[in-house]
Amino acid sequence: MNANDRIQWLHKKISAGCYPNASHLSEQFDISHRQAQRDVDYLRRELGAPLCYCSHKKGYYYESDYILPVSLETEGDADYQAVLSGLRAFNDQTAARSVVQLQLPYSATLEIKDKMTVMNLRAFIVAEEPRHRYRCEFPSVELFLGIIVSADADIRILSPDWLRHKLVEFARRLLERNAEEIQ
């Protein structure tokens, strides 16, 4: 497994409230404890994750909401070069306009009060939180927004802000393009 897979696994476990640590990462991917600690440090320093260590649970958690960044950049660490190669070699302009995030999924927290909608979105839900809140992960922003719009239910995007803004912009453009036909 490469660094991308390890970082993605670590992010998913932390986001799900599992309190992983370097030993868990080392065991999961059969790497040295030192390499696992470098991965944790990379997530904190290079990717800006608000990582904190809970001594009681002996693992890491996010101090605040966090999603993995769109592009990863590092200098000199050959182990992470494979993570970057896909993005640097990618030249499709259409996909570049939307957001390319390698193999790392996007994350969002939604408020969904309708149980049927929750069941329909089960493929994207990775964790349930109090007060009808659900943490979702999805591979494509456009696909996810399309599913939310087509759900025909009261769904609020609580985080991240950029996803909520993208949905509002999408709705505004759609209304503008079709308003003259309605009048």
Side-chain angles (χ1 to χ4, degrees):
M1 293 288 169
N2 63 30
N4 181 44
D5 296 325
R6 297 190 308 264
I7 297 289
Q8 186 175 357
W9 180 87
L10 187 60
H11 170 69
K12 282 183 179 184
K13 290 296 184 181
I14 294 169
S15 294
C18 296
Y19 294 89
N21 59 34
S23 295
H24 296 143
L25 187 64
S26 173
E27 291 168 12
Q28 177 69 27
F29 292 97
D30 195 30
I31 58 174
S32 70
H33 187 272
R34 182 180 167 114
Q35 179 60 54
Q37 192 58 54
R38 278 196 300 262
D39 289 347
V40 170
D41 291 341
Y42 181 81
L43 181 61
R44 177 185 292 121
R45 279 190 279 221
E46 301 297 325
L47 301 180
L51 271 181
C52 290
Y53 186 80
C54 176
S55 57
H56 177 68
K57 298 202 179 221
K58 295 183 170 90
Y60 292 97
Y61 66 96
Y62 289 138
E63 186 175 42
S64 58
D65 283 345
Y66 176 75
I67 58 170
L68 287 168
V70 173
S71 66
L72 308 177
E73 301 215 7
T74 184
E75 291 183 21
D77 191 345
D79 191 42
Y80 298 100
Q81 293 304 315
V83 176
L84 300 172
S85 64
L87 184 61
R88 290 187 181 137
F90 194 78
N91 290 324
D92 184 329
Q93 294 302 318
T94 305
R97 275 197 336 260
S98 60
V99 181
V100 177
Q101 194 182 9
L102 304 171
Q103 299 167 345
L104 305 174
Y106 296 95
S107 297
T109 301
L110 306 179
E111 181 182 74
I112 311 168
K113 293 184 178 177
D114 178 55
K115 299 253 186 232
M116 186 60 79
T117 303
V118 170
M119 288 177 55
N120 290 336
L121 291 175
R122 209 29 95 185
F124 300 101
I125 296 173
V126 295
E128 187 173 344
E129 299 175 0
R131 300 187 313 265
H132 307 285
R133 294 177 181 196
Y134 301 89
R135 182 171 298 274
C136 300
E137 288 186 352
F138 47 97
S140 163
V141 172
E142 291 76 13
L143 171 69
F144 192 65
L145 289 178
I147 290 170
I148 289 174
V149 169
S150 67
D152 194 31
D154 290 333
I155 298 173
R156 286 184 54 219
I157 299 173
L158 302 175
S159 70
D161 289 337
W162 66 263
L163 183 62
R164 185 173 42 253
H165 293 299
K166 190 163 182 87
L167 177 62
V168 170
E169 178 61 23
F170 168 73
R172 185 192 60 73
R173 270 196 329 269
L174 188 63
L175 288 171
E176 283 176 359
R177 291 178 184 162
N178 291 288
E180 66 263 3
E181 294 178 20
I182 295 172
Q183 298 170 354

